[in-house]
Amino acid sequence: MGVDYVTFDRLVDLSTRFKPEGRTLMLGRQGFKIKRRDAKRYEASLNKNGVEARRFDFLQEDGYAETLMRKLGFGEMETMDFSDYEGASILHDLNKRPPKELENQFDFIFDGGTVEHVFNVPVALEGLYRMLKPGGRLVSLNGLNGWYGHGMYQFNPELVWTFWKRACNCEVIDCRAIPEDPTEPYEQVVFGDPADTGRRLRLKKKIGPGRTYLYYEIEKTSKSRLPKIALQSDYETKWQGHDTAGQTRFEDARS
């Protein structure tokens, strides 16, 4: 997708809260260009977050985003892609498990719209988990709504809470809907965990029909692990006390 204004705004905010110390990774070689429509918003975002810089300070001649990431404090980002057609430094098919030498290597992984283009999403997500170090963070922006024909999938916040929190025991720091166009009448919507209520999120009239990102930020901890199960929370609640085809997290907690 590339880094647009709303992505830039989230990255600037993140830079005030998180500074990776080790290796960092960008999925795909993301571009960064300033849209004239949003020119003043870039400056406002920097000022709001206390970052002393101008929007043009983050540009690089070839139109990619490594300078932006470095100047925001995210280090010299390595880039991963299926092909080297855009100059990626690490070639890997996210449909497959990453090689051992990439496991537990990265303090920060940025997915600016790559996983939605990968057919085998569970393997891709497990691969991102494997590549993160304990204490490392993953930031992801993929389509939630309105990205018709763009990738293979659009994603639901239930995936974030089900897979990353309950299945992997990672900390979900942020999970929200962000309209791609900051001028449209719909606001950003912060999502809570549906498992807290046992009911699905009610999003009618909260999210518009236009292009909307699912943004989330997770941290892998020393207690995180890859899941044995990953089941949707409201169904697990309804299934309690009934015969089931497999084990749910409620039975798992008692075992």
Side-chain angles (χ1 to χ4, degrees), residues 144-148 154 178-181 184 186 207-213:
L144 169 66
N145 194 36
W147 293 91
Y148 314 119
Q154 295 186 97
I178 303 178
E180 182 211 24
D181 182 355
E184 73 171 50
Y186 291 89
I207 294 174
R211 286 184 164 186
T212 306
Y213 293 115

Side-chain angles (χ1 to χ4, degrees), residues 22-230:
R23 294 175 72 183
T24 58
L25 181 69
M26 185 190 308
L27 303 185
R29 198 171 178 209
Q30 301 292 328
F32 176 57
K33 297 179 181 178
I34 293 174
K35 292 184 179 180
R36 183 175 298 178
R37 178 196 69 184
D38 299 318
K40 293 182 179 179
R41 291 187 174 91
Y42 292 91
E43 303 291 348
S45 177
L46 293 166
N47 291 334
K48 174 183 67 177
N49 289 283
V51 177
E52 295 184 3
R54 302 295 302 276
R55 64 185 184 275
F56 298 114
D57 296 340
F58 301 100
L59 295 174
Q60 64 188 58
E61 289 186 2
D62 60 7
Y64 290 108
E66 289 90 353
T67 297
L68 167 68
M69 295 298 193
R70 182 177 69 254
K71 290 193 173 183
L72 285 178
F74 300 130
E76 298 291 341
M77 297 203 84
E78 301 171 61
T79 53
M80 172 180 285
D81 210 332
F82 185 90
S83 164
D84 66 356
Y85 83 111
E86 288 184 312
S89 56
I90 301 173
L91 300 187
H92 172 63
D93 179 1
L94 287 169
N95 288 292
K96 301 176 181 178
R97 178 172 173 169
K100 285 286 187 181
E101 60 266 24
L102 292 179
E103 293 190 5
N104 296 303
Q105 288 297 304
F106 297 100
D107 285 330
F108 177 48
I109 298 177
F110 176 63
D111 171 20
T114 294
V115 170
E116 65 194 6
H117 300 283
V118 179
F119 177 74
N120 202 332
V121 171
V123 171
L125 295 180
E126 290 181 2
L128 298 183
Y129 174 92
R130 292 178 188 278
M131 290 191 289
L132 273 181
K133 291 170 62 176
R137 292 195 188 185
L138 165 69
V139 165
S140 175
L141 292 99
N142 283 274
L144 169 66
N145 194 36
W147 293 91
Y148 314 119
H150 181 80
M152 294 189 187
Y153 303 98
Q154 295 186 97
F155 294 105
N156 191 301
E158 175 72 41
L159 177 67
V160 180
W161 295 103
T162 290
F163 178 75
W164 289 110
K165 181 184 178 182
R166 288 187 293 281
C168 291
N169 200 35
C170 293
E171 180 183 357
V172 177
I173 298 166
D174 198 349
C175 181
R176 65 178 67 197
I178 303 178
E180 182 211 24
D181 182 355
T183 67
E184 73 171 50
Y186 291 89
E187 302 288 338
Q188 296 186 18
V189 179
V190 176
F191 300 122
D193 184 354
D196 291 341
T197 62
R199 298 190 305 272
R200 294 176 184 175
L201 296 171
R202 303 292 190 261
L203 304 179
K204 187 177 181 180
K205 296 183 179 180
K206 294 181 180 180
I207 294 174
R211 286 184 164 186
T212 306
Y213 293 115
L214 174 63
Y215 171 90
Y216 65 87
E217 202 178 305
I218 65 98
E219 181 171 312
K220 182 178 178 179
T221 74
S222 60
K223 296 181 180 180
S224 298
R225 77 286 184 192
L226 279 174
K228 296 179 180 178
I229 56 170

Side-chain angles (χ1 to χ4, degrees), residues 234-251:
D234 60 318
Y235 280 125
E236 284 188 289
T237 302
K238 293 173 183 176
W239 290 332
Q240 286 189 83
H242 297 272
D243 291 338
T244 56
Q247 192 174 48
T248 72
R249 62 191 165 97
F250 297 106
E251 285 80 32

